[in-house]
Amino acid sequence: MAPKITDPANFLTSLVTKKGKSDRYGVYLTGVNILASASECYDYDVSLEKIEKDVQNIFAQDANDWNALLVETRRELEEIVFPISFIRSREPNTVYFISEGHEMSAMVFIPTLVVEEFVTEVTFFQHLLREVATFAGKVPTSIRFTLGAVSMDWDDLVERGGAREVDIGF
């Protein structure tokens, strides 16, 4: 039995807090890989209506590319990787939908991300994978995120208890 995937947002926050490098504006970490379940409800405070609308907008934005991808995932039995790239929140995202028998997973590459945005990204890509997998007649399983650089502001880090403010008087 596969190990239970912990909450990806808490895992990312903990990772950036513990292993991140500090700079003038906060803490950052590069080359981060996070695994999320496609079906787990993480109870994030995210509007599902907005997420559904965002997914439909992405489908409409590059309708020809998405239609081709959807048809290929359903029809193509020998292909197992179906890539697509699109712009989301002014960031280029690349998604690889991976078909494995009756299951489908996704690998997502996001170049830069602020830790607070990750809950929205997890929810968005869960919904996106479910839509594509359902169309292909597959069961959605997991999402592997590869994040180029993740950052957290000092104020947020202090608020979460990952750092202390020190007052230096002269």
Side-chain angles (χ1 to χ4, degrees):
M1 185 168 161
K4 183 171 175 15
I5 299 170
T6 60
D7 179 353
N10 286 339
F11 180 76
L12 179 63
T13 301
S14 173
L15 195 64
V16 171
T17 301
K18 291 176 184 171
K19 302 209 180 227
K21 296 180 173 105
S22 61
D23 70 5
R24 185 177 188 185
Y25 302 105
V27 177
Y28 68 94
L29 192 59
T30 58
V32 178
N33 290 302
I34 306 283
L35 186 65
S37 170
S39 57
E40 181 82 22
C41 178
Y42 294 112
D43 290 326
Y44 295 143
D45 187 22
V46 177
S47 166
L48 294 179
E49 294 82 27
K50 184 179 180 324
I51 294 295
E52 289 173 8
K53 185 177 178 187
D54 287 351
V55 168
Q56 293 309 316
N57 287 341
I58 290 295
F59 285 157
Q61 190 177 40
D62 297 312
N64 291 337
D65 292 341
W66 280 104
N67 287 337
L69 180 127
L70 290 169
V71 168
E72 284 179 27
T73 60
R74 178 182 271 179
R75 182 178 57 175
E76 197 63 52
L77 300 175
E78 295 184 19
E79 282 290 318
I80 59 168
V81 179
F82 304 94
I84 193 161
S85 294
F86 55 89
I87 303 293
R88 175 166 154 69
S89 302
R90 297 185 300 189
E91 283 285 334
N93 290 198
T94 302
V95 181
Y96 298 92
F97 294 99
I98 302 164
S99 182
E100 304 165 279
H102 295 294
E103 297 178 336
M104 183 176 279
S105 60
M107 291 179 61
V108 177
F109 177 71
I110 303 172
T112 59
L113 186 71
V114 176
V115 169
E116 299 82 43
E117 298 170 350
F118 192 58
V119 294
T120 304
E121 298 303 306
V122 169
T123 308
F124 174 83
F125 285 105
Q126 280 180 320
H127 191 73
L128 183 67
L129 176 58
R130 282 195 294 260
E131 290 283 323
V132 174
T134 299
F135 188 86
K138 309 277 185 188
V139 176
T141 56
S142 63
I143 306 164
R144 179 166 303 280
F145 291 91
T146 299
L147 310 172
V150 184
S151 63
M152 182 185 291
D153 292 336
W154 281 117
D155 291 341
D156 194 37
L157 190 63
V158 169
E159 188 177 297
R160 293 175 188 263
R164 283 190 332 207
E165 278 188 89
V166 178
D167 203 10
I168 300 174
F170 288 99

